[in-house]
């Protein structure tokens, strides 16, 4: 009885900590999963050729930052008196105890593998990883083998933790819950048991990804937060691949027609956005030095994926209950119609600004003024509209924007750079073609562009 009372007392602080710091435990789960997935090079946004000769210094920096973030989370969720006792015992064991006494304590601790003990095992291990990686990074050259060996050690420690192994459950009852009542009621009333399971698993996957995404700080200027954002994006790449396999297997089971109607387009959407984010937005991001560019790529990826998962949830929900709308599920939800309207309007304004710039390109005062206006709008477009572009259009926009900012960094008027003028002219033609394609979208039929509103927005940049 006394032993049970002691165990209850020891673990009560952990229950209280989980209640008080739920968001941090959610982030801890995502970061630990992300660290594990980061050591699989197929999940990394890097070129696969000749990987054995690649320097993994930048990748190990990302891991180090994720470990530092893990430790900072644990520092917050652990009570101060528990941390003090931990550090005192660690010091005493090192300085005053014999080898035999330390062996006895280790054996005793191994038997007492409680949740409270497991969080300190995790804490202790990550302190050791931090120190080891700090020394390894001093060499500046990290081989593929060293990176993988470090990964094996860290992954083994994460997966060996009895209570804080994030892969212990396929569905984690602590986090993988559908809190939206509209969705949970819909699942309960959906079809037969077989169909209900498939739809339920689909919602759990999609909401899980939104949970991971919520842990990305898109407004940050801190390197550690940017690194953790990349770690979580790496995790999501792995999750999307696994989910595509799940949907493909479900299609092979010959469910009812409704499953085929839902899962076929979902597989296509996931596959396209997987390419868009990891082959376009995040390509070679680990080699980038400019923090603004890195943050911009992470922010765009965040927006694309968040939109993907929200749209997919709404798409499935509306199939079974047309009375449910995106606004019933998500705050500030934008429908596909709304996204098409915004994309058309923003591209129209970009087209007009580029046309004005081209018309005044050799008039010095006007050109300088137009250039600043155009750059300001392009920065806005990169931050808010890039995520709405089709996969096939992205490369053209990205290349032109990068070339334009590079070519106009140190420019003088009248313009003597005919190459830039040619690029501007060709891109204007491309925008006209893109606008025609957008106007042909089914949701925009009989919905002309609001010229008055577009004109008002345009005047804000002229």
């Amino acid at each position: 009885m006394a032993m049970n009372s002691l165990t209850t007392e020891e673990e009560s602080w952990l229950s209280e900590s989980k209640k008080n710091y739920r968001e941090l435990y959610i982030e801890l789960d995502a970061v630990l999963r992300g660290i594990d997935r980061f050591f699989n090079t197929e999940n990394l946004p890097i070129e696969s050729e000749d990987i054995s000769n690649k320097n993994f210094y930048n990748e190990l920096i990302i891991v180090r930052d994720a470990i530092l973030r893990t430790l900072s989370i644990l520092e917050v969720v652990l009570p101060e008196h528990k941390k003090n006792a931990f550090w005192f015992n660690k010091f005493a064991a090192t300085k005053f105890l014999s080898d035999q006494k330390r062996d006895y304590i280790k054996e005793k601790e191994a038997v007492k593998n409680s949740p409270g003990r497991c969080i300190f095992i995790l804490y202790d291990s990550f302190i050791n990883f931090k120190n080891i990686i700090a020394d390894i990074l001093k060499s500046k050259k990290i081989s593929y083998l060293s990176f993988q060996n470090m990964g094996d050690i860290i992954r083994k420690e994460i997966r060996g933790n009895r209570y804080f192994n994030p892969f212990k459950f396929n569905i984690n009852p602590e986090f993988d819950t559908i809190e939206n009542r509209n969705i949970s009621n819909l699942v309960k009333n959906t079809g037969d048991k077989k169909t209900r399971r498939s739809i339920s698993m689909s919602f759990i996957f999609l909401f899980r990804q939104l949970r991971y995404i919520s842990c990305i700080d898109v407004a940050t200027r801190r390197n550690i937060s940017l690194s953790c954002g990349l770690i979580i994006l790496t995790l999501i790449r792995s999750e999307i691949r696994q989910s595509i396999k799940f949907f493909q297997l479900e299609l092979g089971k010959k469910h009812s027609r409704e499953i085929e109607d839902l899962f076929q387009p979902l597989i296509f959407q996931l596959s396209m956005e997987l390419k868009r984010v990891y082959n376009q937005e995040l390509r070679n991001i680990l080699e980038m030095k400019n923090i603004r560019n890195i943050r911009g790529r992470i922010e765009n990826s965040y927006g694309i994926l968040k939109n993907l998962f929200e749209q997919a949830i709404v798409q499935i929900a509306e199939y079974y209950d047309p009375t449910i709308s995106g606004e019933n599920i998500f705050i500030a939800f934008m429908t596909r119609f709304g996204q098409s309207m915004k994309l058309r309007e923003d591209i129209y304004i970009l087209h007009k600004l580029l046309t004005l710039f081209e018309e005044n390109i050799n008039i010095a005062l006007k050109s300088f003024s137009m250039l600043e206006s155009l750059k300001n709008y392009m920065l806005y477009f990169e931050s808010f509209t890039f995520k709405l572009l089709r996969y096939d259009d992205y490369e053209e926009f990205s290349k032109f924007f990068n070339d334009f900012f590079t070519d106009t960094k140190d420019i003088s008027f009248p313009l003597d750079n005919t190459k830039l003028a040619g690029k501007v002219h060709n891109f204007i033609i491309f925008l006209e073609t893109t606008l025609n394609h957008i106007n042909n979208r089914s949701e925009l039929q009989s919905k002309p562009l609001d010229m008055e509103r577009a004109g008002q927005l345009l005047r804000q940049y002229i």
Side-chain angles (χ1 to χ4, degrees), residues 61 89 109 140 178 281 299 307 324 327 331 344 425 438:
I61 288 284
N89 290 336
E109 287 176 345
K140 302 292 184 183
I178 299 174
E281 282 291 342
E299 184 178 355
N307 178 61
I324 293 179
E327 291 80 0
I331 298 171
R344 180 174 63 178
H425 182 74
I438 295 172

Side-chain angles (χ1 to χ4, degrees), residues 110 126 143 168 194 236 384 392:
F126 272 60
S143 69
K168 186 177 181 181
K194 188 178 175 184
I236 292 172
F384 296 100
D392 293 337

Side-chain angles (χ1 to χ4, degrees), residues 160-175:
N161 194 295
R162 184 175 175 186
Y163 287 95
F164 288 89
N165 171 15
F167 303 101
K168 186 177 181 181
F169 304 105
N170 184 33
I171 298 174
N172 189 331
E174 188 174 0
F175 301 127

